[in-house]
Amino acid sequence: MPVLNRPHRIEPLLQSIVEATDVPHRVIFGCSDQATVDELDRLGAWYVRDAGGDEGTWPKRINRLYHEVNEPYILCAADDLAFRPGWFQAAMIVMNRVDGVVAVNDLMNMAGVHLLLSRNYIETLGGCIGEPGVVCHQGYDHSYVDDEMRATAMFHGRWGFAQDSVVEHLHPGTGKAPSDETYRIGEASMTQGHQVFMSRAHLWQTA
């Protein structure tokens, strides 16, 4: 989970995960700001700190965190989520069929933006075309990373959506959270992300 300037979200997030996830699991954060680091230290949470800025983009943090763990399944998550009981088992019903990329149901974006990954898929094919062992293309600032991961998995026939795996997105777009600077940073990356996505679309359309 890449996190930025929302230390108040970390404890309820961890509590949500514990209450809703009845299989062995680990949670690892990617962060840079001191307030978040202080809160993670207080909670005894596992994290990898970077310098922020260009090194703290969502795709770079996800790729970095991926190599810190060895679990067979990895959820690319965020700090504004609320996990519902049974989410993992429901997602695994789909994962066992596709062994690739499975979107959980965040009750907001039915395209699927919070993604459960199979390590076998990432190691053999990669989350982006032609890059085995790489989760996501690092040319994005933030937006459209998930779009490329979804398009790539669809191209390989390894995509699924887990309707019954509910991990609610507590987002301002649905009135479930106030807007803040972190959301605004993400929104500001839309144009850049779309340009990168369109420049790379030929990879999964004709590869």
Side-chain angles (χ1 to χ4, degrees), residues 49-68:
R49 188 173 189 177
D50 56 59
D54 185 57
E55 289 306 305
T57 65
W58 195 90
K60 287 184 178 180
R61 283 183 174 170
I62 288 291
N63 285 339
R64 196 176 295 129
L65 295 174
Y66 172 80
H67 292 290
E68 291 289 326

Side-chain angles (χ1 to χ4, degrees), residues 28-199:
I28 180 171
F29 296 90
C31 60
S32 58
D33 63 282
Q34 189 60 49
T36 295
V37 169
D38 290 345
E39 179 66 357
L40 291 168
D41 283 338
R42 184 184 75 83
L43 296 168
W46 183 18
Y47 64 88
V48 173
R49 188 173 189 177
D50 56 59
D54 185 57
E55 289 306 305
T57 65
W58 195 90
K60 287 184 178 180
R61 283 183 174 170
I62 288 291
N63 285 339
R64 196 176 295 129
L65 295 174
Y66 172 80
H67 292 290
E68 291 289 326
V69 299
N70 57 12
E71 279 74 11
Y73 304 104
I74 302 98
L75 180 70
C76 299
D79 62 12
D80 56 352
L81 299 178
F83 290 73
R84 300 280 182 84
W87 75 271
F88 183 75
Q89 289 84 351
M92 284 303 299
I93 291 172
V94 181
M95 179 63 79
N96 288 334
R97 185 175 73 246
V98 303
D99 187 28
V101 179
V102 173
V104 297
N105 182 359
D106 71 359
L107 303 180
M108 178 180 172
N109 188 329
M110 299 308 288
V113 298
H114 298 101
L115 308 176
L116 183 68
L117 312 176
S118 157
R119 180 172 294 275
N120 176 62
Y121 167 80
I122 296 298
E123 291 300 311
T124 56
L125 291 173
C128 42
I129 295 288
E131 296 187 63
V134 176
V135 177
C136 42
H137 179 63
Q138 297 192 161
Y140 297 96
D141 288 343
H142 182 88
S143 300
Y144 282 86
V145 181
D146 54 297
D147 295 271
E148 174 162 341
M149 293 170 68
R150 179 169 55 251
T152 299
M154 287 179 173
F155 171 80
H156 291 305
R158 306 285 286 274
W159 167 260
F161 181 82
Q163 176 73 32
D164 296 328
S165 174
V166 179
V167 180
E168 186 177 6
H169 198 178
L170 306 176
H171 191 276
T174 54
K176 297 175 182 177
S179 185
D180 59 25
E181 184 59 28
T182 300
Y183 286 119
R184 288 188 284 273
I185 290 172
E187 291 164 2
S189 71
M190 290 293 291
T191 298
Q192 186 269 356
H194 183 256
Q195 291 172 345
V196 174
F197 181 81
M198 295 307 296
S199 73

Side-chain angles (χ1 to χ4, degrees), residues 10-33:
I10 295 171
E11 188 167 14
L13 170 68
L14 290 172
Q15 186 64 33
S16 172
I17 294 171
V18 167
E19 292 176 353
T21 311
D22 58 359
V23 295
H25 61 276
R26 294 194 289 173
V27 182
I28 180 171
F29 296 90
C31 60
S32 58
D33 63 282

